[in-house]
Every structure is written in structure tokens, then in C-alpha cells.
């Protein structure tokens, strides 16, 4: 059972453009919605996260949009930079500590 | 420096030769977990531990064992490795999310251990 569907698998964006990655989930018990960022040779690290009682959260150039009724949330990277090139994972979790990872999106920002 | 340390970082072994991947964290976290990362599959949980002497299976536990005798250490044991266990392994730790406490459950990951089983 695939609880989390992430799209696209890969994304190429020009420097200064907007990167958008989407995540759809099925489990209504998820109560926290983070995005993790992974650089080559490193472990994933928390980038930004949102609780289900808000529809949007912005931290610098990174924004999460959350649609509870559609069971979707997305990551927007404004003014994308080459340093943003990484793999991004949505990883919602239920009450407790288990994150359920999406398959990942490889982002490449061309300079 | 707060960190999760895994060893070895790279290992090539042969089918059936027992191996252990060590994991240690210095953040006094109760929760620890092992994941494997495979292309197109994201990260899948192998085992997790809520505290010392408390471990439980994740989504893909077959062929793996763990132990949690000390709070800081959570080794992953492959008793008889097989080629389908060739993967990139991550150990992670966090504070537990508890009722009434709005902890985020943010996971802190090690840098990974790339295992090849021939």
C-alpha cells in the first residue's frame, strides 16, 4: 500500500525560477507534514514542516501549501538557486515518530 | 556538535558473512530508527526503538536484527546478508512525540552506510 505519492520524480529548473514538488497521501491519521532535503553523500535533513491546522507556511524562499480536504501538500521553492539542487522527500507522520517517506524528487537548478 | 555517527560508511561483503553497522547519537534522544534507501523507493523503515530495551519492526525488517542496550547506540545486524540487502542505510534519532507536548519528531540522520553484498 503506497501511502504517500510524490511527484515529479525529477525536476530541472532555471536559476531564479520556481520549483514545485507535490505530495499526496491517503492516511488521514497523519498529523505533521515535513519536507526533508538530502544532498549527495549526506543524510536527509528537515527543511520545513507544517501542522494540519494551517494552510501555508513560509520560511525564506521555501513555502509549504497544505490542502487537508484534498490530502495534498506541496513544497514551493522561490528564486531557485543551484545550491538548492538536492533530493527532496515529503515524509508525513502519524502521532508518534514514524515518518512515511515519499519516493523523492531530484531537483536540479541550472545556472 | 550534535550528531548521529554511523560506521562503516562503505562496506563490500559477501553473501552470508555476518556484519554489524554501528550507530551512535550524542543528543540524548530516546527514539532511534534504521532506514534503507533504494532508488525510486524513498526511505523505508527497517526497525525502530522508542527507548532502551524497546525495539519494534518497521516496514522491511526481514533479514535484519537490532538491539538497544544503551540509549546512545543502536546497531543494525545482518546475520546472513544477501544481495537484495545491497542498499544505502541510514540511522536516525529524535525526541519522542508525546501527548500534550508539541514536539515535531524531527529526525536527525547519520551520513549513511553504503553496503554492497556480492
Amino acid at each position: 500500500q503506497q501511502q504517500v505519492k510524490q511527484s515529479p520524480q525529477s525536476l530541472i529548473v532555471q536559476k531564479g525560477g520556481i520549483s514545485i514538488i507535490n505530495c499526496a497521501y491517503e492516511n488521514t491519521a497523519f498529523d505533521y507534514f515535513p519536507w526533508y532535503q538530502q544532498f549527495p553523500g549526506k543524510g536527509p535533513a528537515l527543511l520545513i514542516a507544517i501542522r494540519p491546522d494551517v494552510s501555508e507556511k513560509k520560511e525564506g524562499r521555501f513555502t509549504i501549501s497544505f490542502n487537508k480536504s484534498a490530502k495534498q501538500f506541496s513544497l514551493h521553492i522561490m528564486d531557485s538557486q543551484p545550491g538548492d539542487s538536492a533530493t527532496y522527500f515529503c515524509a508525513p507522520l502519524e502521532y508518534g515518530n514514524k515518518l512515511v517517506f515519499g519516493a523523492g524528487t531530484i531537483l536540479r537548478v541550472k545556472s | 556538535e550534535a550528531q548521529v555517527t554511523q560506521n562503516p560508511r562503505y562496506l563490500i561483503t559477501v553473501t552470508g558473512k555476518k556484519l554489524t553497522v554501528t550507530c551512535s547519537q550524542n543528543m540524548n534522544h530516546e527514539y532511534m530508527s534504521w532506514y534503507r534507501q533504494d532508488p525510486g523507493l524513498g526511505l523505508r523503515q527497517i526497525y525502530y526503538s522508542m527507548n532502551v530495551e524497546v525495539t519494534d519492526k518497521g516496514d522491511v525488517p526481514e533479514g535484519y536484527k537490532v538491539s538497544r542496550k544503551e540509549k546512545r547506540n543502536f546497531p543494525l545486524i545482518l546475520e546472513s546478508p544477501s544481495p537484495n540487502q545491497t542498499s544505502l542505510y541510514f540511522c536516525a534519532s529524535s525526541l519522542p512525540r508525546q501527548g500534550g507536548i508539541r514536539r515535531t519528531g524531527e529526525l536527525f540522520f547519520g551520513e549513511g552506510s553504503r553496503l554492497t553484498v556480492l
Side-chain angles (χ1 to χ4, degrees), chain A residues 5-35:
Chain A
K5 293 183 181 179
Q6 185 175 337
S7 62
Q9 285 186 311
S10 62
L11 182 60
I12 300 175
V13 174
Q14 291 289 339
K15 179 181 177 181
I18 301 173
S19 305
I20 302 174
I21 305 170
N22 300 299
C23 191
Y25 63 94
E26 299 172 1
N27 187 350
T28 55
F30 288 143
D31 68 348
Y32 194 64
F33 300 88
W35 286 92

Coordinates of all heavy atoms in Angstrom, one line a residue, chain A residues 5-35:
Chain A
K5 N 2.4 9.5 -2.3 CA 2.8 9.6 -3.7 C 3.4 11.0 -3.9 O 2.7 12.0 -3.8 CB 1.6 9.4 -4.6 CG 1.0 8.0 -4.5 CD -0.1 7.8 -5.5 CE -0.7 6.4 -5.4 NZ -1.8 6.2 -6.4
Q6 N 4.6 11.0 -4.3 CA 5.3 12.2 -4.5 C 5.6 12.4 -6.0 O 5.9 11.5 -6.7 CB 6.6 12.2 -3.8 CG 7.4 13.5 -3.8 CD 8.7 13.4 -2.9 OE1 8.8 12.6 -2.0 NE2 9.7 14.3 -3.2
S7 N 5.4 13.7 -6.5 CA 5.7 14.0 -7.9 C 6.2 15.4 -8.0 O 6.0 16.3 -7.2 CB 4.4 13.8 -8.7 OG 3.4 14.7 -8.2
P8 N 7.0 15.6 -9.1 CA 7.5 14.7 -10.1 C 8.7 13.9 -9.5 O 9.2 14.2 -8.4 CB 8.0 15.6 -11.2 CG 8.5 16.8 -10.5 CD 7.5 17.0 -9.3
Q9 N 9.2 12.9 -10.3 CA 10.4 12.2 -9.8 C 11.6 13.0 -10.0 O 12.6 12.9 -9.2 CB 10.5 10.9 -10.7 CG 9.6 9.8 -10.4 CD 9.9 8.6 -11.2 OE1 10.1 8.6 -12.4 NE2 9.9 7.4 -10.5
S10 N 11.7 13.8 -11.0 CA 12.8 14.7 -11.2 C 12.3 16.0 -11.8 O 11.3 16.1 -12.4 CB 13.9 14.1 -12.1 OG 13.3 13.8 -13.4
L11 N 13.1 17.0 -11.6 CA 12.7 18.4 -12.0 C 14.0 19.2 -12.3 O 14.9 19.2 -11.5 CB 12.0 19.0 -10.8 CG 11.4 20.4 -10.9 CD1 10.3 20.5 -12.0 CD2 10.8 20.8 -9.6
I12 N 13.9 19.9 -13.4 CA 15.0 20.8 -13.8 C 14.4 22.2 -13.9 O 13.4 22.4 -14.6 CB 15.7 20.4 -15.1 CG1 16.2 19.0 -15.0 CG2 16.8 21.4 -15.5 CD1 16.8 18.4 -16.4
V13 N 15.0 23.1 -13.2 CA 14.5 24.5 -13.1 C 15.7 25.4 -13.4 O 16.8 25.2 -13.0 CB 13.9 24.7 -11.7 CG1 13.5 26.2 -11.6 CG2 12.7 23.8 -11.5
Q14 N 15.4 26.5 -14.1 CA 16.4 27.5 -14.3 C 16.6 28.3 -13.0 O 15.7 28.5 -12.3 CB 16.0 28.5 -15.5 CG 16.0 27.8 -16.8 CD 17.4 27.6 -17.3 OE1 18.4 28.2 -16.9 NE2 17.5 26.6 -18.3
K15 N 17.8 28.8 -12.9 CA 18.1 29.7 -11.7 C 17.1 30.8 -11.7 O 16.9 31.5 -12.7 CB 19.6 30.2 -11.8 CG 20.0 31.1 -10.7 CD 21.4 31.6 -10.9 CE 21.8 32.6 -9.8 NZ 23.2 33.1 -10.0
G16 N 16.6 31.1 -10.5 CA 15.6 32.2 -10.4 C 14.2 31.7 -10.6 O 13.3 32.5 -10.3
G17 N 14.0 30.5 -11.0 CA 12.6 30.0 -11.3 C 12.0 29.5 -10.0 O 12.6 29.5 -8.9
I18 N 10.8 29.0 -10.2 CA 10.0 28.4 -9.1 C 10.0 26.9 -9.2 O 9.7 26.3 -10.3 CB 8.6 28.9 -9.0 CG1 8.6 30.4 -8.9 CG2 7.8 28.3 -7.9 CD1 7.2 31.0 -9.0
S19 N 10.4 26.2 -8.1 CA 10.3 24.7 -8.1 C 9.1 24.3 -7.3 O 8.9 24.8 -6.2 CB 11.6 24.1 -7.5 OG 12.8 24.6 -8.1
I20 N 8.4 23.4 -7.8 CA 7.2 22.9 -7.1 C 7.2 21.4 -7.1 O 7.3 20.7 -8.1 CB 5.9 23.4 -7.8 CG1 5.8 24.9 -7.9 CG2 4.6 22.9 -7.1 CD1 4.7 25.5 -8.7
I21 N 7.1 20.9 -5.9 CA 7.0 19.4 -5.7 C 5.8 19.1 -4.9 O 5.4 19.8 -3.9 CB 8.3 18.9 -4.9 CG1 9.6 19.4 -5.6 CG2 8.2 17.4 -4.8 CD1 10.8 19.2 -4.8
N22 N 5.1 18.0 -5.3 CA 3.8 17.7 -4.7 C 3.8 16.4 -4.0 O 4.6 15.5 -4.3 CB 2.7 17.7 -5.8 CG 2.6 19.0 -6.6 OD1 2.3 20.0 -6.0 ND2 2.9 19.0 -7.9
C23 N 2.9 16.3 -3.0 CA 2.8 15.1 -2.2 C 1.4 14.8 -1.9 O 0.7 15.7 -1.4 CB 3.6 15.2 -1.0 SG 3.8 13.7 -0.1
A24 N 0.9 13.6 -2.3 CA -0.5 13.2 -2.0 C -0.4 12.0 -1.0 O 0.4 11.2 -1.1 CB -1.2 12.8 -3.3
Y25 N -1.3 12.1 0.0 CA -1.3 11.0 1.0 C -2.7 10.4 1.1 O -3.7 11.0 0.8 CB -0.8 11.5 2.3 CG -1.6 12.6 2.9 CD1 -2.6 12.3 3.9 CD2 -1.4 13.9 2.6 CE1 -3.3 13.3 4.4 CE2 -2.1 15.0 3.1 CZ -3.1 14.6 4.1 OH -3.9 15.6 4.6
E26 N -2.8 9.2 1.7 CA -4.0 8.5 1.9 C -4.4 8.5 3.4 O -5.6 8.4 3.7 CB -4.0 7.1 1.3 CG -3.7 7.1 -0.2 CD -3.4 5.7 -0.7 OE1 -3.5 4.7 0.1 OE2 -3.2 5.5 -1.9
N27 N -3.4 8.4 4.3 CA -3.7 8.1 5.7 C -4.1 9.4 6.4 O -3.4 10.3 6.6 CB -2.4 7.6 6.3 CG -2.6 7.2 7.7 OD1 -3.6 7.4 8.3 ND2 -1.5 6.5 8.3
T28 N -5.4 9.4 6.8 CA -5.9 10.6 7.5 C -5.4 10.7 8.9 O -5.7 11.7 9.5 CB -7.5 10.6 7.5 OG1 -7.9 9.3 8.1 CG2 -8.0 10.6 6.0
A29 N -4.7 9.8 9.4 CA -4.1 9.9 10.7 C -2.8 10.7 10.7 O -2.3 11.0 11.8 CB -3.8 8.5 11.3
F30 N -2.3 11.0 9.6 CA -1.1 11.8 9.5 C -1.4 13.2 10.2 O -2.4 13.8 9.9 CB -0.6 12.1 8.1 CG 0.0 10.9 7.4 CD1 -0.2 10.6 6.1 CD2 0.8 10.0 8.1 CE1 0.4 9.5 5.4 CE2 1.4 8.9 7.5 CZ 1.2 8.7 6.2
D31 N -0.5 13.6 11.1 CA -0.8 14.9 11.7 C 0.4 15.9 11.7 O 0.4 16.9 12.4 CB -1.2 14.6 13.2 CG 0.0 14.1 14.1 OD1 1.0 13.7 13.5 OD2 -0.2 14.0 15.3
Y32 N 1.4 15.6 10.9 CA 2.5 16.5 10.8 C 3.1 16.3 9.4 O 3.2 15.1 9.0 CB 3.5 16.3 11.9 CG 4.5 17.4 12.0 CD1 4.2 18.7 12.4 CD2 5.9 17.1 11.8 CE1 5.1 19.7 12.5 CE2 6.8 18.1 12.0 CZ 6.4 19.4 12.3 OH 7.4 20.4 12.5
F33 N 3.5 17.4 8.7 CA 3.8 17.2 7.3 C 5.1 17.9 7.0 O 5.1 19.1 6.6 CB 2.7 17.8 6.4 CG 1.4 17.1 6.7 CD1 0.5 17.5 7.7 CD2 1.0 16.0 5.9 CE1 -0.7 16.8 7.9 CE2 -0.1 15.3 6.1 CZ -1.0 15.7 7.1
P34 N 6.2 17.2 7.1 CA 7.5 17.8 6.8 C 8.0 17.5 5.4 O 7.6 16.6 4.8 CB 8.4 17.2 7.9 CG 7.8 15.8 8.2 CD 6.3 16.0 7.9
W35 N 9.0 18.3 5.0 CA 9.8 18.1 3.8 C 11.2 18.0 4.3 O 11.7 18.8 5.1 CB 9.7 19.2 2.8 CG 8.4 19.2 2.1 CD1 7.2 19.9 2.4 CD2 8.1 18.5 0.9 NE1 6.2 19.6 1.5 CE2 6.7 18.8 0.5 CE3 8.8 17.6 0.0 CZ2 6.1 18.3 -0.6 CZ3 8.2 17.1 -1.1 CH2 6.8 17.4 -1.4

